[in-house]
């Protein structure tokens, strides 16, 4: 075989292909409902790019409501009580202060498709996967971290031979981003599934792990003093980057041969040379995030329909 006829060493996987596999699951769930689910989005600050077009998917109804930010609190409370509304999203930032966190907690846990309510966040970090003892109501996870999990499942990084909850055991993963919205939740999810995760930001490197032999029920966090990308990237068979802004360029020379690389930033963190080292490269995840949002909406409706104890919105960690 000549050099020209050799297959490319790197497979580029597009988000649209991955989203199709999830669309089938969502379609099957929709077929069991008596009406189209209604998702309401509140827009109170037109700062930045708002991506809501994907929410207008077949089988769903979407209503974008532009409101004054001073009226948003009342609008959320009214939507909580509106029986016709199945799910609520709010486009942040609004006040760019702790007021935004307050608004996140106003959304009824039974309508929070973004998984930002305290109960969902608590469950995620504590590795609690259900809302009820009967394990009929699944806890909701934040959309972007969950989208990346679904991408890793699609790429067969998750080992289905292993028990559910341990299927990343043996994998080392670097996540370049430790924001409270995506990076930290993602590191926790991957570590709770058994991976050794190196979480990187401008302050340094933290290791998320369930300990030797993943014997601990939930992840723990260890500071890796003095570590940088130079230390953790060569150890990692998966590298996930989501650094905002055009200035950051991931140092692909550090990549392990055959690593899987995923970019979730709106900018291209990886240059074209990533294809010389990576075995699989996912350049964007937007379409998967959108279908995961709709999947979360469907999951909330399924939770409501279940015969288990209803979700009451309380945040008691003992539940």
């Amino acid at each position: 075989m000549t050099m020209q006829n050799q297959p490319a060493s790197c497979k580029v996987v597009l988000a649209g292909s991955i989203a199709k596999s999830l669309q089938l699951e969502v379609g099957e769930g929709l077929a069991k409902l008596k009406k189209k689910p209604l998702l309401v989005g509140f827009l109170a600050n037109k700062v930045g790019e708002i991506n809501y077009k994907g929410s207008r998917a077949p089988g769903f109804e979407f209503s974008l409501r532009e409101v004054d930010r001073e009226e948003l609190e009342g609008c959320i409370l009214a939507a909580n009580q509106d029986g016709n509304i199945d799910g609520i999203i709010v486009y942040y930032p609004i006040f760019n202060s702790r007021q935004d966190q307050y608004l996140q907690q106003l959304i009824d846990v039974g309508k929070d498709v973004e998984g930002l309510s305290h109960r969902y966040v608590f469950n995620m970090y504590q590795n609690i996967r259900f809302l009820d003892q009967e394990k009929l109501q699944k806890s909701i996870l934040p959309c972007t971290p969950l989208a990346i999990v679904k991408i890793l499942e699609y790429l067969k990084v998750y080992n289905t031979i292993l028990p559910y909850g341990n299927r990343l055991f043996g994998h080392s993963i670097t996540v370049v981003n430790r924001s409270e919205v995506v990076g930290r939740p993602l590191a926790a999810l991957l570590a709770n599934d058994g991976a050794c995760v190196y979480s990187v930001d401008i302050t340094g490197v933290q290791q998320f792990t369930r300990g030797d032999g993943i014997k601990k029920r939930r992840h723990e966090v260890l500071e890796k003093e003095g570590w940088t990308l130079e230390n953790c990237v060569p150890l990692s068979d998966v590298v996930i980057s989501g650094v905002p802004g055009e200035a950051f360029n991931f140092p692909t020379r550090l990549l392990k041969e055959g690593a899987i690389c995923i970019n979730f930033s709106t900018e291209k963190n990886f240059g074209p040379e990533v294809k010389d080292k990576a075995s699989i490269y996912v350049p964007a995840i937007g379409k998967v995030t959108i279908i995961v949002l709709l999947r979360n909406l469907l999951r909330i409706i399924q939770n409501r329909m279940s015969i288990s104890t209803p979700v009451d919105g309380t945040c008691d960690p003992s539940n």
Side-chain angles (χ1 to χ4, degrees):
M1 181 181 291
T2 64
M3 291 292 292
Q4 289 85 354
N5 293 331
Q6 287 183 354
S9 59
C10 179
K11 172 70 173 179
V12 177
V13 179
L14 300 180
S17 300
I18 304 170
K20 286 180 181 178
S21 64
L22 294 171
Q23 287 171 347
L24 179 61
E25 175 190 344
V26 170
E28 290 173 351
L30 282 173
K32 299 176 182 178
L33 302 181
K34 296 181 179 179
K35 74 176 187 70
K36 290 183 179 181
L38 172 60
L39 176 64
V40 170
F42 288 110
L43 179 60
N45 186 356
K46 293 184 179 180
V47 176
E49 182 180 353
I50 301 299
N51 182 7
Y52 60 84
K53 293 181 180 179
S55 300
R56 304 183 189 278
F60 292 87
E61 292 185 7
F62 178 69
S63 173
L64 180 67
R65 302 181 182 182
E66 297 186 29
V67 300
D68 185 276
R69 68 180 190 172
E70 300 299 335
E71 298 175 356
L72 180 57
E73 179 178 359
C75 292
I76 292 174
L77 292 174
N80 285 342
Q81 299 300 318
D82 189 336
N84 293 317
I85 296 175
D86 296 297
I88 300 169
I89 57 175
V90 176
Y91 295 101
Y92 299 99
I94 299 167
F95 293 95
N96 274 309
S97 68
R98 293 192 65 182
Q99 180 75 358
D100 285 3
Q101 298 174 25
Y102 165 71
L103 292 171
Q104 288 175 358
Q105 301 311 313
L106 277 185
I107 299 176
D108 188 294
V109 71
K111 296 188 178 185
D112 176 19
V113 296
E114 296 182 281
L116 299 177
S117 299
H118 175 72
R119 186 174 185 185
Y120 291 144
V121 173
F122 176 88
N123 285 357
M124 176 185 65
Y125 283 116
Q126 293 295 317
N127 200 14
I128 299 171
R129 306 189 180 219
F130 294 88
L131 297 171
D132 58 338
Q133 293 182 348
E134 294 82 3
K135 296 185 178 181
L136 296 174
Q137 300 183 20
K138 283 195 173 182
S139 197
I140 302 301
L141 296 171
C143 297
T144 301
L146 180 56
I148 295 171
V149 167
K150 291 300 173 185
I151 289 170
L152 293 175
E153 289 181 349
Y154 178 88
L155 298 177
K156 309 299 183 184
V157 177
Y158 275 73
N159 185 351
T160 55
I161 295 176
L162 296 177
Y164 175 72
N166 292 345
R167 290 177 174 173
L168 287 181
F169 184 40
H171 287 288
S172 293
I173 301 175
T174 290
V175 178
V176 190
N177 177 302
R178 197 157 61 239
S179 69
E180 296 299 327
V181 178
V182 181
R184 185 183 296 277
L186 175 60
L189 287 174
L190 299 178
N192 284 341
D193 278 340
C196 172
V197 182
Y198 299 105
S199 173
V200 184
D201 72 357
I202 58 173
T203 67
V205 179
Q206 293 179 343
Q207 183 184 34
F208 287 58
T209 174
R210 279 170 52 196
D212 293 340
I214 58 171
K215 293 182 175 64
K216 297 185 178 180
R217 185 186 61 81
R218 61 176 295 271
H219 73 280
E220 61 182 10
V221 181
L222 305 174
E223 292 288 343
K224 303 295 288 184
E225 296 292 342
W227 276 45
T228 66
L229 287 173
E230 301 267 352
N231 301 99
C232 56
V233 172
L235 302 176
S236 302
D237 41 55
V238 179
V239 177
I240 304 166
S241 188
V243 179
E246 299 179 357
F248 178 76
N249 290 300
F250 187 90
T252 53
R253 61 181 176 81
L254 298 176
L255 287 172
K256 183 178 180 180
E257 289 283 342
I260 294 172
C261 296
I262 300 172
N263 175 67
F264 69 87
S265 173
T266 54
E267 308 295 339
K268 292 183 178 179
N269 283 185
F270 297 96
E273 67 277 6
V274 70
K275 299 175 187 177
D276 296 330
K277 293 287 286 287
S279 60
I280 298 175
Y281 174 46
V282 182
I285 70 165
K287 291 182 179 180
V288 182
T289 303
I290 291 171
I291 195 66
V292 163
L293 173 71
L294 300 177
R295 182 177 178 271
N296 275 358
L297 175 57
L298 184 61
R299 175 69 40 84
I300 280 177
I301 296 172
Q302 291 168 341
N303 283 349
R304 195 182 306 148
M305 294 169 59
S306 75
I307 61 173
S308 184
T309 305
V311 178
D312 60 11
T314 60
C315 299
D316 183 359
S318 64
N319 286 347

